[in-house]
Amino acid sequence: MRVIAAIVVASLLAFAGTIQAKPPQTPAQRAAKAESAATPPLTRLPDWAVPESYDLALKSDPSQPGYSGTVTIAVDLKRASNHLWLHGKDLKVASVTVTDARGRTHAGKYVEAAPRAGVARVDFGSTLRPQQLKLKFEFSAPYNQTLQGYYKVVFAGNAYAMTQFEPISARFAFPCFDEPGFKVPMTLSLTVPDADKAVANTGDVKTVAAGMGWKTVAFAPTRPLPTYLYAWAVGPWDIVDGPTIPPNPWRAEPVPVRGIATKGNGDKMQRALAMVPAIIEHEEAYFGFGYPFGKLDLAALPDFSAGAMENPGLVTFRDWLLLLEKGSAPNAVRSTFNVEAHELAHQWTGDTVTTRWWNDIWLNEAFATWMQQKIEGEIHPDWHAHLARIEGGQGAMRSDSLVSARMIRQPITGNGDIQTAFDGITYQKGAAVIGMFENFVGPKVFQQGMQAYIKAHAFGNADADDLVDAIAKAAGKGEAFKQAFKSFLDQNGVPLVATRLDCGAKGGAVLELAQSRYLPLGSTGKPDQLWGVPVCVRFPNGVQCQMLDDKTGTMKIAGGQCPAWYMPNADGNGYYRFEMAKADRVALSKVIAQRDDGEQLVYADAIGAAFQRGALDAGEVLEAMRELAPSKVRQVALAPLGTVEWIYDHEAHTDAQKAAIRGAVTKAYLPRLEALGYQRRAGESADDVLMRSSLASTLGLEFKLPTVRAALLKQGDAALKIGKDGLPNLLAANPDLLRIALAVAVEQNGKPAVDELIAAIPKTTDPVRRNAMLDALGHAQGAEADVVRNFALTPQVKVGEMGMLLMGQRDTVAERDDLWNWFTANFNRIVARTGVFSGGYLPRLAAGGGCSDAEAQRVEAYFKPRLADVPGLPRGLAQTHESIMLCSALKAHQNPASIQ
């Protein structure tokens, strides 16, 4: 009876709110209300009007330029107002009907209050009291052309429509509250042509005829989700069954797995689908929580702005990631597995528990990256996932060394901050920091904290405090631990831990520790930052860990005896760089070849980091290369080459200096490539295949060794011979080297090779072959480079493929000048084709690789007047400008005479 009475009272109050005379307002109240309605919220929507559910019905034919539909949003109006705010962009809203709690309807008005940001206002026509409302919108919209929102792709003559809403593109598709904190269920129905198929987050529950040539497919309601995770796709898809994942202790129902591919490509999905059960079962066991979204579809989309997207029940991928063949290269197979593991990990971190706001997107992406590496290590230990984690952290350190680097928890001041949050800081730095603290408290303890976090916030939202508190509670840690963890989240930069062994200290040997911020030469940053660094040091007798949360500290060495050597970053688990006293470094160098592969990798990184600081010269780097190149661990052997390439491109000015570097590289690496050969060998390891590809690319394309280029050109020329189908005979080359062989052919043969590839790409639908040809075209030189760049702006190149054509050929000043001239002449066309989400990348696309003050000034002068034109440009410009200035400073500091 109380429930019924409460409902009656609430209804009467709501009804009264629609008819009661309103008390007169003071001038100040009227002014405040007018200002509130006139000033759109450009960051977060107010919390006094929140959605409770969506009922979305669309009529969609991908062959047409647009679609139409209705959406009914149940809204909790928490305070009296004559309007509310929500999101919508590029929508034509024909009508808005507001139904109050009593069931009375009001004609609302949809106002595009901030069109560029996609913020809209709905005016009620009168002030409504707090109550439950329903807002029904009738609208239409064009299919998006820049891979955002509900977008359209024509592939192999067939039209497809599909969604990509993360981070803030649901507003392109329908009126909504487009923020992660608004997590509610959606019911979807799609009216589509009879010949097309429709898929969505949930399974279809009913299909009925909807007039001549049309049908309506209704889907089950979703679990509570934010708008960025809603997903659907329409077109002549192949839908193929994969394995069914059986019930287990965490889940009572089986999970059917399906593949969604463009017409004719469904049979290529079985290898990718076969990976899914083991991944899901390992992730369920880790989280102690069954996969919660019923069915699981993996969709290979014909064009896509991201690598993949974790939409629950309908995970979407770039097509080449899922369309594997029996002879697919090992790197392709590993990429597929890792991207699947990443996106499926999101079903827990991101989908089941969703970040409350975009400043904590690391809770989604960093944890999915970390879990992906963990699952890879469990299922494929021979793939050395721990090295990928270390390499990922080191790559993030290069960005994190910039003063302009983002924090993991970067404050959000506008859409540009949201759109630039999906970077190496969020993914790789975040994963490395998680791994560091997992190692510090112990994997089992960390798992207990993760399980508690998932269960406490399932189907809701969380923030960084929730996660850190859960880990601290499981580990029995207090505020000092929490502050240490947050010190890596709430400030940018890489800690530099300086170490010195003191064997004469009273009470036994100690290791003196001091921390500062790692800064490359020329940086304007300040070194006096503090972190709570979990420093773990390997000594000959074992590993010791200690939290360094002051400027200096002392680690007492167990047993008190002076060790013969030590490694400041045991197993490479720490997200920090180290600087050893010279005698200590010499001692470590004598045993580094006997250390495990992770420690060898961080040692190699320390060499490059010291060079970037100006502490080592080119000669010392080349000597380190000679020491590390013989390593049996592929990643360690190749680690010095990035720094050596920089020396070759920017420091070696004379033919003699370049010849000296080529000679050192030839002696260190060419025998290894020649031993591997240029063709696949029966029974060879995947690691050998990957080493062959890496060496062929570096020696053939970067250092241009004649013998390597001759072998690759032979394969490239064979691949370019026209076959019976009128297309290049790409199968004539080793598939592992196809991209590299074609690139050499483009560099050597010029226009004939460029013309042939440009003619072949529109006729080629296989994504792996397209990628190889497109990547090769990125190596076009001289006048042909502009031909290729212009080709990138045509419909024959997918939007998601443009980067392969535009990021190459920038090693020399002349090449960068040519690229700059083309870019500035075509800036508006580039923005129009790539959309606003390219903003953070445009300065790097235009000027990345620059290494002079003049180039830095040029990029700043060009983009500064345009900073308000495209979201994300300010951060992209700051980072590109700073990178160029640092390169210029290092070039001025280094002495080419040291090259020998």
Side-chain angles (χ1 to χ4, degrees), residues 360-414:
D360 274 322
I361 190 61
W362 74 282
L363 289 173
N364 295 14
E365 300 299 349
F367 272 93
T369 303
W370 164 79
M371 177 56 73
Q372 153 204 329
Q373 295 158 351
K374 182 178 289 292
I375 297 304
E376 179 190 353
E378 292 177 0
I379 297 177
H380 297 290
D382 56 316
W383 290 5
H384 306 296
H386 64 295
L387 296 182
R389 177 182 55 77
I390 294 170
E391 287 184 312
Q394 291 171 352
M397 287 179 186
R398 286 189 283 276
S399 299
D400 206 14
S401 300
L402 300 175
V403 174
S404 54
R406 289 180 56 259
M407 308 172 197
I408 291 179
R409 297 191 78 215
Q410 181 69 35
I412 302 298
T413 61

Side-chain angles (χ1 to χ4, degrees), residues 238-257:
D238 282 359
I239 301 179
V240 298
D241 290 329
T244 295
I245 310 173
N248 58 31
W250 303 280
R251 175 179 33 81
E253 299 297 326
V255 177
V257 178

